[in-house]
Amino acid sequence: FDNGRMHVPADAFGGMSPEYKAAGALKNLFTMVAIRVVMAQEQEEQGGYANGGGDEMTDTHRTLRDYLVEHPLRDGNAWLEQLMRHEDGNMRRTALRLLEVRKAYASGQFDFADMHQLAVKELTRDNDKLMADYVADSMSLSVGEGMGMDGLQQ
């Protein structure tokens, strides 16, 4: 620990801090959220499933869905950059729309405090279960199987 913070080696994430690495993952998540929001908006424009509109979808919805199948999202920025170079002008406009939706969601809709609280809660629960499973497994092993009474290799 350094100044009350745990030391993370500088090369742990290619020279990035864990926070910077997490921000990149969130950026990709926000890109996918933007895609889903725009697709839902397009579905609603056509009447949507909830309104009894059935399977109808706009050209934008259909083209965006097909594009996502053909080009799975791995890097949100690279995916959007590629979409902005699409031969169809409507898809280029859709890429700009996705940029706006992604920014709006990240800056005003996503609950970062709730995410932090949920991540710590889930991590604590998972750690507790893993530790309980480890203890249960350790108790069921005999000392003669290469394990000491403390559950460690001898």
PDB file of all heavy atoms in Angstrom, residues 96-119:
ATOM      1  N   LEU A  96     -23.584   8.989 -36.145  1.00  0.00           N
ATOM      2  CA  LEU A  96     -23.559  10.259 -35.409  1.00  0.00           C
ATOM      3  C   LEU A  96     -24.609  10.259 -34.297  1.00  0.00           C
ATOM      4  O   LEU A  96     -24.361  10.749 -33.197  1.00  0.00           O
ATOM      5  CB  LEU A  96     -23.784  11.428 -36.368  1.00  0.00           C
ATOM      6  CG  LEU A  96     -22.705  11.604 -37.442  1.00  0.00           C
ATOM      7  CD1 LEU A  96     -23.096  12.726 -38.407  1.00  0.00           C
ATOM      8  CD2 LEU A  96     -21.353  11.861 -36.815  1.00  0.00           C
ATOM      9  N   ARG A  97     -25.763   9.696 -34.594  1.00  0.00           N
ATOM     10  CA  ARG A  97     -26.820   9.569 -33.590  1.00  0.00           C
ATOM     11  C   ARG A  97     -26.335   8.700 -32.426  1.00  0.00           C
ATOM     12  O   ARG A  97     -26.582   9.004 -31.256  1.00  0.00           O
ATOM     13  CB  ARG A  97     -28.046   8.956 -34.265  1.00  0.00           C
ATOM     14  CG  ARG A  97     -29.253   8.777 -33.405  1.00  0.00           C
ATOM     15  CD  ARG A  97     -30.390   8.274 -34.273  1.00  0.00           C
ATOM     16  NE  ARG A  97     -31.504   7.798 -33.500  1.00  0.00           N
ATOM     17  CZ  ARG A  97     -32.517   7.117 -34.016  1.00  0.00           C
ATOM     18  NH1 ARG A  97     -32.548   6.844 -35.312  1.00  0.00           N
ATOM     19  NH2 ARG A  97     -33.499   6.708 -33.249  1.00  0.00           N
ATOM     20  N   LEU A  98     -25.638   7.614 -32.735  1.00  0.00           N
ATOM     21  CA  LEU A  98     -25.105   6.735 -31.691  1.00  0.00           C
ATOM     22  C   LEU A  98     -24.090   7.456 -30.813  1.00  0.00           C
ATOM     23  O   LEU A  98     -24.061   7.243 -29.594  1.00  0.00           O
ATOM     24  CB  LEU A  98     -24.472   5.490 -32.319  1.00  0.00           C
ATOM     25  CG  LEU A  98     -25.441   4.495 -32.958  1.00  0.00           C
ATOM     26  CD1 LEU A  98     -24.689   3.474 -33.791  1.00  0.00           C
ATOM     27  CD2 LEU A  98     -26.306   3.825 -31.907  1.00  0.00           C
ATOM     28  N   LEU A  99     -23.267   8.312 -31.427  1.00  0.00           N
ATOM     29  CA  LEU A  99     -22.312   9.099 -30.630  1.00  0.00           C
ATOM     30  C   LEU A  99     -23.050   9.954 -29.602  1.00  0.00           C
ATOM     31  O   LEU A  99     -22.644  10.028 -28.433  1.00  0.00           O
ATOM     32  CB  LEU A  99     -21.480  10.007 -31.536  1.00  0.00           C
ATOM     33  CG  LEU A  99     -20.459   9.352 -32.448  1.00  0.00           C
ATOM     34  CD1 LEU A  99     -19.830  10.398 -33.366  1.00  0.00           C
ATOM     35  CD2 LEU A  99     -19.397   8.637 -31.646  1.00  0.00           C
ATOM     36  N   GLU A 100     -24.122  10.598 -30.034  1.00  0.00           N
ATOM     37  CA  GLU A 100     -24.893  11.467 -29.134  1.00  0.00           C
ATOM     38  C   GLU A 100     -25.581  10.669 -28.038  1.00  0.00           C
ATOM     39  O   GLU A 100     -25.569  11.062 -26.875  1.00  0.00           O
ATOM     40  CB  GLU A 100     -25.915  12.285 -29.930  1.00  0.00           C
ATOM     41  CG  GLU A 100     -25.280  13.345 -30.798  1.00  0.00           C
ATOM     42  CD  GLU A 100     -24.494  14.362 -29.989  1.00  0.00           C
ATOM     43  OE1 GLU A 100     -24.981  14.807 -28.929  1.00  0.00           O
ATOM     44  OE2 GLU A 100     -23.381  14.712 -30.419  1.00  0.00           O
ATOM     45  N   VAL A 101     -26.188   9.537 -28.397  1.00  0.00           N
ATOM     46  CA  VAL A 101     -26.888   8.713 -27.409  1.00  0.00           C
ATOM     47  C   VAL A 101     -25.892   8.160 -26.391  1.00  0.00           C
ATOM     48  O   VAL A 101     -26.147   8.163 -25.190  1.00  0.00           O
ATOM     49  CB  VAL A 101     -27.676   7.572 -28.095  1.00  0.00           C
ATOM     50  CG1 VAL A 101     -28.225   6.582 -27.084  1.00  0.00           C
ATOM     51  CG2 VAL A 101     -28.805   8.150 -28.947  1.00  0.00           C
ATOM     52  N   ARG A 102     -24.745   7.705 -26.872  1.00  0.00           N
ATOM     53  CA  ARG A 102     -23.710   7.162 -25.990  1.00  0.00           C
ATOM     54  C   ARG A 102     -23.248   8.207 -24.986  1.00  0.00           C
ATOM     55  O   ARG A 102     -23.130   7.934 -23.783  1.00  0.00           O
ATOM     56  CB  ARG A 102     -22.567   6.651 -26.860  1.00  0.00           C
ATOM     57  CG  ARG A 102     -21.294   6.324 -26.170  1.00  0.00           C
ATOM     58  CD  ARG A 102     -20.302   5.655 -27.096  1.00  0.00           C
ATOM     59  NE  ARG A 102     -19.359   6.582 -27.679  1.00  0.00           N
ATOM     60  CZ  ARG A 102     -18.152   6.221 -28.096  1.00  0.00           C
ATOM     61  NH1 ARG A 102     -17.767   4.958 -28.023  1.00  0.00           N
ATOM     62  NH2 ARG A 102     -17.332   7.096 -28.604  1.00  0.00           N
ATOM     63  N   LYS A 103     -23.014   9.424 -25.463  1.00  0.00           N
ATOM     64  CA  LYS A 103     -22.568  10.501 -24.574  1.00  0.00           C
ATOM     65  C   LYS A 103     -23.661  10.861 -23.568  1.00  0.00           C
ATOM     66  O   LYS A 103     -23.393  11.035 -22.375  1.00  0.00           O
ATOM     67  CB  LYS A 103     -22.174  11.727 -25.390  1.00  0.00           C
ATOM     68  CG  LYS A 103     -21.659  12.858 -24.533  1.00  0.00           C
ATOM     69  CD  LYS A 103     -21.243  14.036 -25.371  1.00  0.00           C
ATOM     70  CE  LYS A 103     -20.773  15.178 -24.485  1.00  0.00           C
ATOM     71  NZ  LYS A 103     -20.460  16.358 -25.280  1.00  0.00           N
ATOM     72  N   ALA A 104     -24.897  10.960 -24.051  1.00  0.00           N
ATOM     73  CA  ALA A 104     -26.014  11.309 -23.158  1.00  0.00           C
ATOM     74  C   ALA A 104     -26.193  10.246 -22.080  1.00  0.00           C
ATOM     75  O   ALA A 104     -26.408  10.567 -20.906  1.00  0.00           O
ATOM     76  CB  ALA A 104     -27.297  11.480 -23.963  1.00  0.00           C
ATOM     77  N   TYR A 105     -26.096   8.977 -22.465  1.00  0.00           N
ATOM     78  CA  TYR A 105     -26.258   7.904 -21.487  1.00  0.00           C
ATOM     79  C   TYR A 105     -25.139   7.933 -20.454  1.00  0.00           C
ATOM     80  O   TYR A 105     -25.383   7.855 -19.255  1.00  0.00           O
ATOM     81  CB  TYR A 105     -26.310   6.538 -22.181  1.00  0.00           C
ATOM     82  CG  TYR A 105     -26.562   5.423 -21.205  1.00  0.00           C
ATOM     83  CD1 TYR A 105     -27.843   5.190 -20.718  1.00  0.00           C
ATOM     84  CD2 TYR A 105     -25.528   4.633 -20.721  1.00  0.00           C
ATOM     85  CE1 TYR A 105     -28.085   4.186 -19.787  1.00  0.00           C
ATOM     86  CE2 TYR A 105     -25.755   3.628 -19.793  1.00  0.00           C
ATOM     87  CZ  TYR A 105     -27.040   3.418 -19.335  1.00  0.00           C
ATOM     88  OH  TYR A 105     -27.271   2.446 -18.405  1.00  0.00           O
ATOM     89  N   ALA A 106     -23.910   8.070 -20.925  1.00  0.00           N
ATOM     90  CA  ALA A 106     -22.758   8.054 -20.012  1.00  0.00           C
ATOM     91  C   ALA A 106     -22.772   9.253 -19.077  1.00  0.00           C
ATOM     92  O   ALA A 106     -22.431   9.136 -17.895  1.00  0.00           O
ATOM     93  CB  ALA A 106     -21.455   8.025 -20.808  1.00  0.00           C
ATOM     94  N   SER A 107     -23.171  10.405 -19.575  1.00  0.00           N
ATOM     95  CA  SER A 107     -23.081  11.615 -18.756  1.00  0.00           C
ATOM     96  C   SER A 107     -24.306  11.871 -17.890  1.00  0.00           C
ATOM     97  O   SER A 107     -24.202  12.597 -16.904  1.00  0.00           O
ATOM     98  CB  SER A 107     -22.815  12.834 -19.636  1.00  0.00           C
ATOM     99  OG  SER A 107     -23.896  13.055 -20.516  1.00  0.00           O
ATOM    100  N   GLY A 108     -25.436  11.247 -18.215  1.00  0.00           N
ATOM    101  CA  GLY A 108     -26.617  11.575 -17.430  1.00  0.00           C
ATOM    102  C   GLY A 108     -27.494  10.430 -16.992  1.00  0.00           C
ATOM    103  O   GLY A 108     -28.354  10.613 -16.137  1.00  0.00           O
ATOM    104  N   GLN A 109     -27.295   9.244 -17.547  1.00  0.00           N
ATOM    105  CA  GLN A 109     -28.197   8.135 -17.244  1.00  0.00           C
ATOM    106  C   GLN A 109     -27.558   7.021 -16.422  1.00  0.00           C
ATOM    107  O   GLN A 109     -28.206   6.447 -15.559  1.00  0.00           O
ATOM    108  CB  GLN A 109     -28.736   7.526 -18.548  1.00  0.00           C
ATOM    109  CG  GLN A 109     -29.540   8.491 -19.383  1.00  0.00           C
ATOM    110  CD  GLN A 109     -30.864   8.830 -18.736  1.00  0.00           C
ATOM    111  OE1 GLN A 109     -31.610   7.934 -18.363  1.00  0.00           O
ATOM    112  NE2 GLN A 109     -31.147  10.103 -18.591  1.00  0.00           N
ATOM    113  N   PHE A 110     -26.306   6.719 -16.715  1.00  0.00           N
ATOM    114  CA  PHE A 110     -25.640   5.613 -16.027  1.00  0.00           C
ATOM    115  C   PHE A 110     -25.364   6.004 -14.585  1.00  0.00           C
ATOM    116  O   PHE A 110     -24.825   7.070 -14.315  1.00  0.00           O
ATOM    117  CB  PHE A 110     -24.343   5.247 -16.751  1.00  0.00           C
ATOM    118  CG  PHE A 110     -23.698   4.003 -16.228  1.00  0.00           C
ATOM    119  CD1 PHE A 110     -24.167   2.756 -16.582  1.00  0.00           C
ATOM    120  CD2 PHE A 110     -22.602   4.079 -15.380  1.00  0.00           C
ATOM    121  CE1 PHE A 110     -23.562   1.597 -16.110  1.00  0.00           C
ATOM    122  CE2 PHE A 110     -21.990   2.933 -14.902  1.00  0.00           C
ATOM    123  CZ  PHE A 110     -22.472   1.684 -15.267  1.00  0.00           C
ATOM    124  N   ASP A 111     -25.710   5.117 -13.652  1.00  0.00           N
ATOM    125  CA  ASP A 111     -25.533   5.384 -12.229  1.00  0.00           C
ATOM    126  C   ASP A 111     -24.206   4.777 -11.758  1.00  0.00           C
ATOM    127  O   ASP A 111     -24.131   3.601 -11.397  1.00  0.00           O
ATOM    128  CB  ASP A 111     -26.706   4.802 -11.451  1.00  0.00           C
ATOM    129  CG  ASP A 111     -26.730   5.227  -9.998  1.00  0.00           C
ATOM    130  OD1 ASP A 111     -25.663   5.610  -9.453  1.00  0.00           O
ATOM    131  OD2 ASP A 111     -27.815   5.177  -9.385  1.00  0.00           O
ATOM    132  N   PHE A 112     -23.156   5.604 -11.793  1.00  0.00           N
ATOM    133  CA  PHE A 112     -21.824   5.134 -11.431  1.00  0.00           C
ATOM    134  C   PHE A 112     -21.759   4.726  -9.959  1.00  0.00           C
ATOM    135  O   PHE A 112     -21.106   3.735  -9.625  1.00  0.00           O
ATOM    136  CB  PHE A 112     -20.776   6.215 -11.732  1.00  0.00           C
ATOM    137  CG  PHE A 112     -20.525   6.398 -13.193  1.00  0.00           C
ATOM    138  CD1 PHE A 112     -21.261   7.323 -13.927  1.00  0.00           C
ATOM    139  CD2 PHE A 112     -19.557   5.654 -13.849  1.00  0.00           C
ATOM    140  CE1 PHE A 112     -21.034   7.495 -15.283  1.00  0.00           C
ATOM    141  CE2 PHE A 112     -19.330   5.811 -15.205  1.00  0.00           C
ATOM    142  CZ  PHE A 112     -20.072   6.730 -15.924  1.00  0.00           C
ATOM    143  N   ALA A 113     -22.432   5.452  -9.085  1.00  0.00           N
ATOM    144  CA  ALA A 113     -22.413   5.113  -7.658  1.00  0.00           C
ATOM    145  C   ALA A 113     -23.082   3.762  -7.427  1.00  0.00           C
ATOM    146  O   ALA A 113     -22.585   2.936  -6.655  1.00  0.00           O
ATOM    147  CB  ALA A 113     -23.096   6.200  -6.837  1.00  0.00           C
ATOM    148  N   ASP A 114     -24.194   3.518  -8.106  1.00  0.00           N
ATOM    149  CA  ASP A 114     -24.886   2.244  -7.973  1.00  0.00           C
ATOM    150  C   ASP A 114     -24.019   1.110  -8.520  1.00  0.00           C
ATOM    151  O   ASP A 114     -23.958   0.023  -7.940  1.00  0.00           O
ATOM    152  CB  ASP A 114     -26.226   2.287  -8.715  1.00  0.00           C
ATOM    153  CG  ASP A 114     -27.074   1.068  -8.450  1.00  0.00           C
ATOM    154  OD1 ASP A 114     -27.185   0.654  -7.278  1.00  0.00           O
ATOM    155  OD2 ASP A 114     -27.629   0.514  -9.429  1.00  0.00           O
ATOM    156  N   MET A 115     -23.315   1.356  -9.638  1.00  0.00           N
ATOM    157  CA  MET A 115     -22.427   0.354 -10.204  1.00  0.00           C
ATOM    158  C   MET A 115     -21.329  -0.012  -9.200  1.00  0.00           C
ATOM    159  O   MET A 115     -21.043  -1.184  -8.991  1.00  0.00           O
ATOM    160  CB  MET A 115     -21.778   0.851 -11.496  1.00  0.00           C
ATOM    161  CG  MET A 115     -20.816  -0.160 -12.104  1.00  0.00           C
ATOM    162  SD  MET A 115     -19.502   0.521 -13.109  1.00  0.00           S
ATOM    163  CE  MET A 115     -18.710   1.679 -12.029  1.00  0.00           C
ATOM    164  N   HIS A 116     -20.736   0.996  -8.573  1.00  0.00           N
ATOM    165  CA  HIS A 116     -19.674   0.756  -7.587  1.00  0.00           C
ATOM    166  C   HIS A 116     -20.206  -0.081  -6.433  1.00  0.00           C
ATOM    167  O   HIS A 116     -19.594  -1.088  -6.035  1.00  0.00           O
ATOM    168  CB  HIS A 116     -19.106   2.086  -7.082  1.00  0.00           C
ATOM    169  CG  HIS A 116     -18.075   1.908  -6.019  1.00  0.00           C
ATOM    170  ND1 HIS A 116     -18.363   2.076  -4.685  1.00  0.00           N
ATOM    171  CD2 HIS A 116     -16.771   1.557  -6.086  1.00  0.00           C
ATOM    172  CE1 HIS A 116     -17.276   1.838  -3.977  1.00  0.00           C
ATOM    173  NE2 HIS A 116     -16.302   1.522  -4.795  1.00  0.00           N
ATOM    174  N   GLN A 117     -21.348   0.323  -5.904  1.00  0.00           N
ATOM    175  CA  GLN A 117     -21.944  -0.389  -4.777  1.00  0.00           C
ATOM    176  C   GLN A 117     -22.287  -1.828  -5.169  1.00  0.00           C
ATOM    177  O   GLN A 117     -22.006  -2.772  -4.425  1.00  0.00           O
ATOM    178  CB  GLN A 117     -23.196   0.349  -4.303  1.00  0.00           C
ATOM    179  CG  GLN A 117     -23.869  -0.261  -3.106  1.00  0.00           C
ATOM    180  CD  GLN A 117     -25.105   0.517  -2.687  1.00  0.00           C
ATOM    181  OE1 GLN A 117     -25.539   1.450  -3.345  1.00  0.00           O
ATOM    182  NE2 GLN A 117     -25.678   0.113  -1.576  1.00  0.00           N
ATOM    183  N   LEU A 118     -22.862  -2.019  -6.346  1.00  0.00           N
ATOM    184  CA  LEU A 118     -23.226  -3.349  -6.811  1.00  0.00           C
ATOM    185  C   LEU A 118     -21.987  -4.211  -7.046  1.00  0.00           C
ATOM    186  O   LEU A 118     -21.960  -5.394  -6.688  1.00  0.00           O
ATOM    187  CB  LEU A 118     -24.055  -3.240  -8.095  1.00  0.00           C
ATOM    188  CG  LEU A 118     -24.589  -4.532  -8.684  1.00  0.00           C
ATOM    189  CD1 LEU A 118     -25.501  -5.241  -7.691  1.00  0.00           C
ATOM    190  CD2 LEU A 118     -25.338  -4.234  -9.970  1.00  0.00           C
ATOM    191  N   ALA A 119     -20.944  -3.625  -7.629  1.00  0.00           N
ATOM    192  CA  ALA A 119     -19.714  -4.383  -7.887  1.00  0.00           C
ATOM    193  C   ALA A 119     -19.093  -4.870  -6.580  1.00  0.00           C
ATOM    194  O   ALA A 119     -18.690  -6.040  -6.476  1.00  0.00           O
ATOM    195  CB  ALA A 119     -18.717  -3.524  -8.667  1.00  0.00           C
TER     196      ALA A 119
END
